[in-house]
Amino acid sequence: MRILLVEDEPELASAMRTALRRYDMVVDHATSLLEAGDFAASESYDAILLDRQLPDGDGLTLVPKLRARGNATPVLVLTARSDTSDKVDGLDMGADDYLAKPFAFEELLARLRALLRRPANVQTQVIHAGDLAFDFGHREVLVRGEPMALPRRELLVLEALLRRTGRMVQRSSLMEAVFGLDDEIQSNALDTHVSRLRRKLAEADGKVEINGVRGVGYLLREIS
Amino acid sequence: MRILLVEDEPELASAMRTALRRYDMVVDHATSLLEAGDFAASESYDAILLDRQLPDGDGLTLVPKLRARGNATPVLVLTARSDTSDKVDGLDMGADDYLAKPFAFEELLARLRALLRRPANVQTQVIHAGDLAFDFGHREVLVRGEPMALPRRELLVLEALLRRTGRMVQRSSLMEAVFGLDDEIQSNALDTHVSRLRRKLAEADGKVEINGVRGVGYLLREIS
DNA sequence: TCATGAACATTGCGGAAGCATTGCGAAACA
DNA sequence: TGTTTCGCAATGCTTCCGCAATGTTCATGA
């Protein structure tokens, strides 16, 4: 579990960090709104613990920014103020829960657990063809739901072909997708990979086929 | 929005009902645990407002029953008691939020809105694979019911893999889960942990296996 | 239609890159 | 302060990859 702690008071921050670590959480620590925004943008967290009183503004203002960026990370807001209208603000701005300081650490933990209970599986783009599913985000090929191990280069070939299922992919464009720019390949390495991929697909799936077209390139086709 | 209100005190119940209606919520009203259970089983609600002090027992006991039936309706617990340990109880039993009486109606509404915004809490607290059970609430691994001690880093690896049992977990994503940001690991530390974890799993369980996939990452698989 | 050459297909091989495992010293923890 | 755990580096091992050799297909032209 990875947590972003946004708290400028050094003592409290350090105590919380230690306590959270005791529960096997990996904690990143930001001390300002600005820093917090950067962290949240560049890393991915399971939850954010957010103090309101920060040197460069009200922590709450971070929440709508995150949401606008499509970041749905659960946010637990910590604050010294505890009257009702403040709570309402926090929850209405898209925070997920609210905890008034001072708090018992146990309660913090329990609330955190409640937030983390939600599914953590990030949805990524998946392309289907035949009985194949290619999960781009996780760089994984599934055959009828079962993962199939593929070497890196073959995976790249398959990816490039699947992105244009049923249509031609130029040889040059395949080369670029598989080898990039830096490698200067001077053999039939590409053909080799295509060949090996073909065999594996035939064994595992049998419903897709890679056709070569002389002088042009390759295309992947579903066979009926 | 359809709400189930579980509250035996007639006056309070009536007031809440009226207030909720004003916000266009459809309210069903139960006055006992038994009745609440029936309602929840036969109808479907967007949220449940649950008093703890009911004529036939502690309202909280309803929550695990619901969850066991696969009912993931958000539950907001209302109670006169407000010390920390009670709150922890409530949240750990699967309730989603907690509000101490007396409360401002505005806060109730804000918390309710926050609950309704959440994606349904479907994920269990415990993940099973082979003879393993990973209890997220208590941060503990059980092998055939017996607790198994694991160092922090290995536990993090296992957790990350179990959250996607049978599917790829990218190396980078594992690194994040295990080390976070601040550590700049420049060795094969991750491989080390995976290796040690492998050995322990093989000894203790034998029904799960961690497969490495070159250039991509790892996946945890149940072996048949 | 057949000969011919060019482009693609397949397969084995050696070097290399990536992973697995283990011991060790330092750091964290109790 | 004794114990556990962690990061690291050294070692051995498996897999992968580019290559080249060989086989196959296909278009072309006589």
Side-chain angles (χ1 to χ4, degrees):
Chain A
M1 277 301 111
R2 196 159 173 217
I3 309 288
L4 175 59
L5 172 63
V6 188
E7 170 64 67
D8 65 328
E9 210 180 307
E11 228 168 284
L12 177 59
S14 156
M16 289 182 64
R17 212 176 163 160
T18 312
L20 288 170
R21 283 203 47 180
R22 187 157 297 138
Y23 288 86
D24 300 318
M25 298 186 178
V26 178
V27 181
D28 287 349
H29 179 202
T31 57
S32 70
L33 258 178
L34 191 66
E35 205 182 343
D38 287 347
F39 273 119
S42 57
E43 305 293 322
S44 88
Y45 298 94
D46 298 294
I48 299 178
L49 291 180
L50 182 61
D51 189 21
R52 287 195 64 164
Q53 292 161 289
L54 294 171
D56 51 348
D58 185 344
L60 257 191
T61 60
L62 179 64
V63 184
K65 283 182 200 161
L66 290 180
R67 301 300 183 237
R69 277 191 237 148
N71 184 330
T73 312
V75 175
L76 173 52
V77 176
L78 307 172
T79 177
R81 324 176 209 175
S82 74
D83 58 286
T84 296
S85 72
D86 271 7
K87 294 193 191 182
V88 175
D89 284 354
L91 294 170
D92 273 353
M93 279 177 95
D96 298 274
D97 202 358
Y98 185 98
L99 190 55
K101 293 200 255 185
F103 52 83
F105 183 70
E106 280 190 349
E107 185 176 359
L108 170 67
L109 210 71
R111 289 193 176 277
L112 210 47
R113 280 204 288 267
L115 284 186
L116 295 174
R117 215 178 296 142
R118 45 171 80 177
N121 268 356
V122 193
Q123 294 280 340
T124 51
Q125 196 195 351
V126 179
I127 289 189
H128 296 266
D131 287 338
L132 283 187
F134 191 106
D135 185 330
F136 292 107
H138 298 101
R139 306 223 57 75
E140 171 185 48
V141 182
L142 300 175
V143 182
R144 286 178 282 273
E146 287 296 307
M148 170 165 113
L150 277 185
R152 202 170 100 259
R153 295 257 128 117
E154 291 172 37
L155 205 74
L156 289 169
V157 171
L158 183 57
E159 174 176 5
L161 292 177
L162 274 175
R163 283 192 186 280
R164 292 180 50 85
T165 305
R167 289 179 294 164
M168 279 299 309
V169 181
Q170 303 247 15
R171 194 181 179 78
S172 60
S173 138
L174 254 183
M175 291 289 288
E176 200 179 311
V178 176
F179 302 109
L181 297 172
D182 24 56
D183 291 351
E184 291 186 13
I185 302 300
Q186 35 185 305
S187 74
N188 59 350
L190 178 60
D191 308 54
T192 308
H193 293 303
V194 170
S195 169
R196 293 202 251 255
L197 183 56
R198 267 197 187 116
R199 167 192 298 231
K200 286 176 191 166
L201 289 183
E203 281 176 9
D205 182 287
K207 292 194 183 171
V208 296
E209 198 174 63
I210 298 178
N211 298 107
V213 177
R214 282 177 106 78
V216 189
Y218 293 91
L219 72 81
L220 183 144
R221 202 164 65 77
E222 304 189 38
I223 48 188
S224 44
Chain B
M1 280 297 120
R2 188 147 182 228
I3 310 287
L4 174 60
L5 172 62
V6 188
E7 169 65 64
D8 65 327
E9 209 180 309
E11 226 169 288
L12 178 57
S14 155
M16 289 181 64
R17 214 174 159 160
T18 312
L20 288 170
R21 285 226 181 108
R22 185 155 304 141
Y23 287 86
D24 298 321
M25 299 186 178
V26 179
V27 181
D28 286 351
H29 180 204
T31 57
S32 71
L33 258 180
L34 191 68
E35 205 182 343
D38 288 348
F39 272 116
S42 54
E43 306 293 325
S44 92
Y45 298 94
D46 298 295
I48 301 178
L49 291 179
L50 181 62
D51 191 18
R52 284 194 67 162
Q53 292 159 292
L54 295 171
D56 51 350
D58 185 344
L60 257 192
T61 61
L62 178 66
V63 184
K65 283 181 200 159
L66 290 179
R67 300 298 184 239
R69 278 191 235 147
N71 183 331
T73 311
V75 175
L76 174 53
V77 176
L78 307 172
T79 176
R81 320 175 213 174
S82 75
D83 58 287
T84 297
S85 71
D86 271 8
K87 294 193 190 180
V88 174
D89 285 353
L91 294 170
D92 272 352
M93 281 177 91
D96 298 275
D97 202 358
Y98 186 98
L99 192 54
K101 291 200 259 187
F103 51 84
F105 183 71
E106 281 189 350
E107 185 176 358
L108 170 67
L109 211 69
R111 287 192 178 278
L112 207 50
R113 279 203 290 267
L115 278 190
L116 295 173
R117 245 198 318 264
R118 282 187 205 180
N121 278 336
V122 278
Q123 182 162 352
T124 6
Q125 288 268 94
V126 180
I127 290 186
H128 296 267
D131 287 339
L132 281 187
F134 192 107
D135 184 331
F136 290 104
H138 300 94
R139 301 220 53 77
E140 171 177 55
V141 182
L142 302 175
V143 183
R144 286 179 282 274
E146 289 297 307
M148 172 165 101
L150 277 184
R152 174 182 138 76
R153 297 253 124 122
E154 291 171 38
L155 201 75
L156 289 169
V157 171
L158 182 58
E159 173 178 1
L161 291 177
L162 275 174
R163 282 188 185 279
R164 288 183 53 83
T165 305
R167 315 265 325 255
M168 278 298 310
V169 181
Q170 292 216 63
R171 196 180 179 76
S172 61
S173 139
L174 258 182
M175 291 287 287
E176 263 191 20
V178 177
F179 301 110
L181 246 200
D182 27 50
D183 298 347
E184 290 194 7
I185 302 301
Q186 36 183 322
S187 75
N188 58 350
L190 179 61
D191 308 52
T192 309
H193 293 301
V194 170
S195 171
R196 294 200 251 257
L197 183 56
R198 267 197 187 117
R199 166 191 299 230
K200 286 175 192 168
L201 289 182
E203 282 175 9
D205 182 290
K207 291 192 183 171
V208 296
E209 196 174 65
I210 298 178
N211 297 109
V213 178
R214 245 159 215 269
V216 187
Y218 292 91
L219 69 82
L220 184 145
R221 221 165 49 80
E222 305 189 38
I223 49 188
S224 43

